[in-house]
Amino acid sequence: MSQIWALARNLVVEVLRMRPLMVFVVFLYFGYTFGFGYWLHLGSGTAEEKIQTFLSYSLSTTGHFLAFLTIFVSIATITRDIKHKQLFTVATKPVSRGGYLGGKFLGMGLLNLLLLLAAGGTIYGLVKLGARLEPGRDPDPEYSRARLDHLILVARQGVHPSIVGVPEEQIARQAQQEAEKNLEEFVDQYYITDPAVKASRLDFEIDESTKKVKLRYRSIPPGSHITWHFAGVKPRRRENGLVFIRYKQEVTLNPADLAVTGQWWYGPGEDVFYTGKHLQTRDSIRTPHEFPIEAESVSETGDLYLTYRNPQINNPTTVIFPLPGKRAPHLFEKEIGIEALYVAGGFTGNFLRALLLIYLRLLFLSALGITLGAWLSFPVAVLTGLVIFTIGLCSNFILSSIRFEFGAKWFNFSNLAMFFFPRFAAYDPIPQIEKGRLVSYQVLGSCLLILILIKGGIVGFAGYLIFKFRELARVIV
Amino acid sequence: MAKIQKNLAVQTVGLTKIFRDFWGHKKVIAVDDLDLEIPRRQVYGLLGPNGSGKSTTIKMLLGLLFPSRGRSWVLGRLPGDVKANSRIGYLPEESNLYPYLSARETLDFYGRLFGLSGQERRRRTDSLLEMVGLSGVGRRPMGEFSKGMARRLGLAQALINDPDLLILDEPTSGLDPIGTRQIKDLILQLGRRGKTVLLCSHLLADVEDVCDRIGILYGGKMQAEGAVDQLLARQEMTQIRFGRLSGETLEKIKEIIRQEDQQGSVEVQTPRDRLEDYFLRIVSEARAAETETSGAIIGTGVSEFLSVVDKEPDETEAVIEQLVLGQEPKTSPGGAAGAAAGTEKVEPVEIGPSEEDLARRGVLDSLVEASAEAPPSGFSESREAQSLTVPVDEGGDEPEDMDRSLIEELTAGRGGNPKDQATEEAAGTDQEATEQEDKDN
């Protein structure tokens, strides 16, 4: 173990003494963080917007910067040892090949921990400072501060609802019927005879029909209403606590002012339309909105019912609550549909979990870089590492594109192939933290298991095998 | 099936390394069917021109390269074995150490790799830096070191674990004459302490000076192998070295030899310093005058933590260190103190013959008297030494009445080659000193 520790320590010292790199770190990275914070301080917008933007940009910068640093350093530390033959004096000491790689991995882990804690501490401090100073610049500082505390500097858990009276089986049955009908039309239209093509097309049609059926149920014509059931709403504080209803509305016909009116009833029972508390909203369409309700409106068992009525007089259009996105694509805003958000934790814990998610990603990249460095030359390894990193970052976008362009068959194949790549987008904490959403332990555990233990383990083991059976000296005769 | 021999530090059987191109075609046979056996406690020199396969052999022994055929064992274990590595010290061809670490940090790092405790690392680091003459620059980054200084540090890292087997690949490459001499002396001393040393070099003088046994590689094959003394001894000649002799004495000796061997010729020369010795003396004088330098200084002896295998260091070593490094001896045998560092050591031979012997010698009495009058140390008076070379008839028909044993005793050995004698007996401080002197010469 002392050998592994020695190697890890040496790697940290190596990086900290790389002057150009440290200049880069200090001036670009910290300069960027502080500079951006200061720019936001001077810029326009509410305190909430400023803090949200700062959180998003600074954490993104941190994550990406450290990811690039990890790829470069983890590869360089091995390839340099090989190229400059320092490995000769190390590998001939009582250090196994696995121990050598383990030492490098531990070193990368320590280095990233140091840099991430430094960066995270800076960001956290600036956010807290901004939360104290910025609301004072807004017209209503108290309101601004309250929004910050309840919407951003908090960890809220979101719950998606089911529609009361519309079981999932019903939706599935209807979707199946519609899909088969559409398939018949498709087969007749294009004279399809191949059973494989038919089966593939049926999958696609079922998928599309399910969306259509769901959207049909989520479409509220003028004068009608819908009741949602949120299960498992467990606010940390019931007394004087708040639960937020977050939603986005689409319309079939644009109103003149691009806004629609909504009437809402909420309460712990299914008969909420008659017994629940009432409120009315008028919101711009195609924009996320939130309103708070009392946490006491949620039953002890965590059930919350919510009825939405489209008032015929005010709205000459059907209001649609879009389907929520399955995952959060990295490049695009996730569809939120409608959800109930309850406070499940504080900002500090949430921020630490977000950092931990970034750290786990860096650990995977360390394993990847070390494996590539143990196998390839520096430029080839760096290029490969960057390609894998980019694919991992845009995995959802790539899969969505494949599905859209090539259909379900290729999507399924690609989805399978994507297992061999890290799907960083699934574990990106930034969309969560910037909206004050909980970075759950479940996501952390999933990331630890899939990204680190399974995928990282496979990558690391491959690196170990390659390194164990490769000759460390070059051919010189 | 080859059997591992426990008494061997290094053993190879049919070791072959073939380098292939990208398509798997044979490109070069770097090492070809090499059978090598290096017993423990031996200083072994692997010689050969550039590209003869020396470094490839070493790299295979260390597990840095994998053999194409054949097997090898180091300290009874397979190459690259972690347990074996803990007993090996390796100085690569180039001292590729981490440039961002200081000398002290470098040794500390390698000490950690051996799992040494913090206290032990500090002790050994101090001792080794002192030994290789880098104690004054211990906090400077390695990247700022000259090649020679880096080489010294490389040697220090190879010794941090007090190895049983020291593998040195071109150890004197890039070193100044002082460093070269120190490393050679160090190898000798380590050899005397029972360490096994595998020295790989194409500098013949280095190998000749320090090795007990050598192997010559060419084209990846072992061309010749044997004890240095056996390979290099010129049995047809006899050399007598002595302190300054008067012309009259010389004539008497010549006369005796002529009487013994009518046809042989006798050469009488005043030996001269080698340039290395002269250089070392000048630097020693400058050092004595405390001239400042930012480079490496002359190191001191052998680190005290380097253990002795199978035997305790005796007074002989103290004297050798004194002779080599110009230090004050811990013991003062024969008044050798005050000798200048690195000069040719031609000790006046102290003969302790019995009265019977003296009576038999007759004419040689005067020689004994002359030696008794010689100065106690031969370093600064080396130019006063004279060398007498007599060709020996190899036919073995030497005259029976020639008392060769006495003449040979004067050279501090029973046989014609003083090195042989010293190696075999190593009995007594003066004899050890003579051995050292002869190796240096």
Side-chain angles (χ1 to χ4, degrees):
Chain A
M1 191 59 202
S2 68
Q3 290 88 343
I4 292 175
W5 176 246
L7 286 160
R9 199 168 164 271
N10 189 43
L11 187 145
V12 175
V13 171
E14 177 184 8
V15 175
L16 294 181
R17 290 186 186 174
M18 277 184 193
R19 282 178 202 150
L21 185 73
M22 290 324 292
V23 168
F24 185 67
V25 169
V26 171
F27 284 92
L28 186 72
Y29 174 59
F30 286 105
Y32 181 88
T33 307
F34 280 103
F36 199 76
Y38 187 65
W39 178 76
L40 277 178
H41 175 69
L42 292 179
S44 58
T46 63
E48 180 188 340
E49 287 164 350
K50 286 178 184 176
I51 298 294
Q52 206 171 21
T53 313
F54 176 69
L55 263 175
S56 171
Y57 276 80
S58 57
L59 279 177
S60 296
T61 311
T62 303
H64 288 111
F65 172 80
L66 289 181
F68 287 128
L69 184 85
T70 301
I71 291 172
F72 278 90
V73 172
S74 59
I75 291 171
T77 190
I78 306 266
T79 52
R80 276 161 61 111
D81 272 10
I82 294 172
K83 186 179 177 186
H84 298 298
K85 299 176 187 170
Q86 279 112 353
L87 192 55
F88 286 11
T89 47
V90 174
T92 52
K93 302 288 183 282
V95 182
S96 65
R97 302 247 174 136
Y100 174 80
L101 294 183
K104 294 290 184 185
F105 182 71
L106 182 63
M108 286 306 303
L110 285 174
L111 179 72
N112 279 323
L113 190 66
L114 281 174
L115 292 175
L116 194 60
L117 283 179
T122 309
I123 294 167
Y124 182 83
L126 287 172
V127 165
K128 284 288 184 186
L129 186 69
R132 210 174 61 190
L133 299 178
E134 291 303 315
R137 295 157 59 92
D138 287 348
D140 186 351
E142 283 308 309
Y143 174 74
S144 182
R145 190 162 283 123
R147 280 190 67 85
L148 261 181
D149 289 344
H150 286 102
L151 301 180
I152 307 296
L153 304 181
V154 73
R156 299 183 302 168
Q157 175 73 296
V159 177
H160 289 283
S162 57
I163 302 169
V164 174
V166 185
E168 286 295 318
E169 299 79 34
Q170 184 180 327
I171 292 172
R173 195 170 55 247
Q174 287 182 8
Q176 180 77 23
Q177 288 167 358
E178 287 186 19
E180 285 170 1
K181 190 181 164 192
N182 290 342
L183 181 66
E184 277 177 30
E185 287 174 7
F186 180 76
V187 167
D188 290 344
Q189 190 176 354
Y190 295 103
Y191 305 104
I192 304 294
T193 54
D194 187 348
V197 175
K198 281 185 187 174
S200 169
R201 184 69 193 183
L202 181 62
D203 289 342
F204 174 77
E205 290 294 347
I206 288 173
D207 206 42
E208 291 299 307
S209 297
T210 305
K211 279 185 199 167
K212 283 178 192 168
V213 171
K214 280 185 177 175
L215 271 176
R216 204 178 300 142
Y217 281 113
R218 295 163 79 100
S219 302
I220 323 296
S224 59
H225 70 274
I226 184 173
T227 301
W228 312 93
H229 172 218
F230 299 89
V233 181
K234 291 176 179 169
R236 199 164 58 164
R237 231 170 16 137
R238 282 177 56 77
E239 286 179 22
N240 300 324
L242 293 174
V243 172
F244 293 84
I245 304 299
R246 186 176 170 87
Y247 58 96
K248 193 166 94 169
Q249 295 158 304
E250 295 282 351
V251 291
T252 51
L253 187 67
N254 281 343
D257 60 350
L258 298 177
V260 289
T261 300
Q263 292 177 332
W264 306 81
W265 287 264
Y266 58 91
E270 199 172 334
D271 56 348
V272 62
F273 189 52
Y274 306 103
T275 60
K277 293 182 180 173
H278 172 70
L279 64 88
Q280 184 163 315
T281 56
R282 182 157 184 85
D283 304 309
S284 54
I285 57 172
R286 301 189 187 98
T287 311
H289 296 282
E290 280 186 27
F291 62 80
I293 60 174
E294 301 82 359
E296 288 165 335
S297 302
V298 180
S299 74
E300 293 285 348
T301 54
D303 293 309
L304 172 68
Y305 289 88
L306 178 74
T307 294
Y308 170 82
R309 183 169 179 274
N310 183 355
Q312 191 174 8
I313 300 167
N314 305 75
N315 295 339
T317 176
T318 296
V319 174
I320 306 167
F321 291 90
L323 292 167
K326 278 186 180 173
R327 287 181 190 276
H330 192 73
L331 299 177
F332 303 107
E333 176 75 11
K334 180 187 169 189
E335 286 289 1
I336 55 158
I338 182 164
E339 60 184 337
L341 294 161
Y342 62 92
V343 177
F347 174 72
T348 305
N350 210 35
F351 188 78
L352 282 175
R353 284 191 292 276
L355 291 184
L356 200 53
L357 267 184
I358 295 175
Y359 184 65
L360 290 178
R361 179 200 293 182
L362 297 175
L363 282 185
F364 175 85
L365 289 174
S366 302
L368 178 71
I370 286 168
T371 295
L372 293 173
W375 181 30
L376 302 167
S377 64
F378 179 75
V380 181
V382 164
L383 189 64
T384 311
L386 289 176
V387 166
I388 293 174
F389 175 65
T390 310
I391 290 175
L393 216 55
C394 306
S395 54
N396 285 346
F397 173 68
I398 292 169
L399 285 175
S400 304
S401 305
I402 289 172
R403 186 191 185 92
F404 184 75
E405 288 292 330
F406 303 107
K409 188 178 171 184
W410 281 102
F411 169 78
N412 291 336
F413 175 76
S414 308
N415 207 10
L416 196 67
M418 202 59 89
F419 172 78
F420 297 102
F421 290 92
R423 297 185 68 171
F424 296 132
Y427 308 112
D428 187 3
I430 294 163
Q432 302 291 105
I433 199 90
E434 69 173 349
K435 293 185 182 73
R437 285 168 173 271
L438 180 74
V439 178
S440 67
Y441 285 108
Q442 191 187 351
V443 173
L444 264 178
S446 163
C447 183
L448 183 67
L449 178 72
I450 295 171
L451 190 64
I452 301 301
L453 296 180
I454 296 177
K455 293 187 180 182
I458 291 171
V459 168
F461 187 64
Y464 167 71
L465 287 180
I466 291 167
F467 197 64
K468 184 176 171 63
F469 294 109
R470 75 163 283 180
E471 293 185 324
L472 300 181
R474 291 180 64 194
V475 178
I476 299 170
V477 285
Chain B
M1 188 68 181
K3 193 179 173 186
I4 307 172
Q5 294 181 43
K6 293 288 179 191
N7 64 323
L8 296 179
V10 174
Q11 183 185 2
T12 73
V13 180
L15 197 66
T16 303
K17 182 66 187 177
I18 301 168
F19 290 120
R20 297 178 188 276
D21 64 13
F22 181 78
W23 306 105
H25 301 139
K26 267 187 199 175
K27 196 170 148 192
V28 177
I29 301 178
V31 178
D32 191 3
D33 202 22
L34 180 67
D35 294 329
L36 183 65
E37 292 185 349
I38 303 175
R40 292 173 194 250
R41 293 180 284 284
Q42 195 171 72
V43 180
Y44 188 93
L46 202 54
L47 279 168
N50 294 332
S52 58
K54 307 182 297 290
S55 294
T56 304
T57 303
I58 283 184
K59 283 168 187 166
M60 281 194 283
L61 292 175
L62 291 165
L64 297 172
L65 287 174
F66 301 138
S68 306
R69 277 198 306 273
R71 302 194 72 182
S72 59
W73 295 271
V74 181
L75 298 171
R77 291 176 177 274
L78 290 173
D81 181 272
V82 170
K83 281 187 181 167
N85 280 356
S86 65
R87 294 162 59 203
I88 295 174
Y90 171 51
L91 174 66
E93 202 171 352
E94 297 161 49
S95 298
N96 296 300
L97 305 170
Y98 291 103
Y100 49 85
L101 293 179
S102 68
R104 192 166 283 281
E105 287 170 333
T106 298
L107 295 183
D108 186 73
F109 168 66
Y110 288 108
R112 281 176 191 270
L113 292 185
F114 283 103
L116 301 176
S117 67
Q119 192 182 3
E120 186 62 19
R121 287 200 306 274
R122 277 190 293 279
R123 190 174 74 82
R124 291 190 181 192
T125 298
D126 290 339
S127 179
L128 284 169
L129 286 176
E130 189 74 23
M131 188 189 92
V132 297
L134 294 177
S135 53
V137 291
R139 299 205 180 279
R140 260 170 61 185
M142 222 289 294
E144 296 176 10
F145 278 13
S146 69
K147 190 179 175 188
M149 289 161 79
R151 204 80 190 127
R152 288 162 184 258
L153 188 58
L155 181 69
Q157 67 79 25
L159 293 169
I160 190 86
N161 61 323
D162 183 18
D164 294 337
L165 170 64
L166 189 61
I167 298 178
L168 306 172
D169 197 352
E170 309 285 1
T172 56
S173 135
L175 283 177
D176 58 27
I178 304 168
T180 303
R181 182 63 166 265
Q182 280 183 312
I183 285 193
K184 288 196 286 189
D185 293 335
L186 177 76
I187 294 168
L188 282 171
Q189 290 171 35
L190 290 172
R192 247 178 244 117
R193 290 187 177 208
K195 309 281 189 192
T196 310
V197 181
L198 170 55
L199 172 64
C200 169
S201 178
H202 56 251
L203 299 174
L204 307 181
D206 290 358
V207 176
E208 182 187 348
D209 285 348
V210 299
C211 290
D212 301 321
R213 194 174 175 82
I214 58 169
I216 299 174
L217 278 178
Y218 184 81
K221 289 187 174 177
M222 187 65 81
Q223 305 292 337
E225 193 189 26
V228 176
D229 298 335
Q230 284 175 352
L231 295 176
L232 303 185
R234 295 182 61 183
Q235 298 295 340
E236 78 281 10
M237 303 286 285
T238 299
Q239 187 179 42
I240 301 170
R241 306 190 71 172
F242 213 82
R244 166 169 280 199
L245 297 176
S246 66
E248 189 185 347
T249 308
L250 280 172
E251 279 308 313
K252 286 177 182 174
I253 294 171
K254 284 180 184 175
E255 187 55 35
I256 294 168
I257 294 168
R258 282 193 203 101
Q259 284 171 11
E260 298 296 330
D261 182 4
Q262 296 292 337
Q263 294 173 343
S265 62
V266 180
E267 278 179 35
V268 178
Q269 294 175 334
T270 300
R272 59 176 204 166
D273 268 1
R274 292 194 300 172
L275 182 58
E276 180 190 6
D277 301 325
Y278 178 73
F279 176 85
L280 291 171
R281 193 168 68 236
I282 296 299
V283 174
S284 294
E285 286 166 7
R287 183 177 167 239
E290 297 182 348
T291 308
E292 282 193 8
T293 175
S294 61
I297 56 169
I298 296 173
T300 55
V302 180
S303 287
E304 80 286 351
F305 72 83
L306 293 170
S307 62
V308 177
V309 181
D310 288 349
K311 64 173 185 176
E312 293 297 321
D314 52 21
E315 290 184 355
T316 314
E317 288 202 1
V319 175
I320 291 168
E321 287 182 17
Q322 176 259 317
L323 291 173
V324 173
L325 301 163
Q327 294 174 312
E328 287 296 321
K330 289 167 188 167
T331 55
S332 52
T343 53
E344 185 170 309
K345 299 173 283 296
V346 180
E347 280 283 3
V349 179
E350 188 177 316
I351 303 170
S354 66
E355 286 186 12
E356 283 180 21
D357 286 335
L358 290 174
R360 274 197 300 129
R361 287 176 196 171
V363 72
L364 288 171
D365 282 357
S366 57
L367 300 182
V368 177
E369 286 167 16
S371 74
E373 288 165 5
S377 168
F379 289 116
S380 53
E381 292 79 27
S382 62
R383 287 189 179 280
E384 295 176 12
Q386 287 180 314
S387 170
L388 194 108
T389 309
V390 185
V392 175
D393 184 355
E394 285 194 305
D397 53 351
E398 291 175 331
E400 286 294 320
D401 55 346
M402 180 186 179
D403 194 351
R404 287 188 61 81
S405 64
L406 285 177
I407 297 173
E408 284 161 2
E409 264 191 40
L410 288 172
T411 64
R414 289 196 185 90
N417 190 328
K419 204 169 171 182
D420 279 348
Q421 187 276 334
T423 312
E424 286 166 14
E425 289 194 357
T429 306
D430 292 331
Q431 284 175 334
E432 280 282 352
T434 309
E435 175 198 354
Q436 174 65 31
E437 164 204 330
D438 287 333
K439 283 194 174 184
D440 289 339
N441 291 333

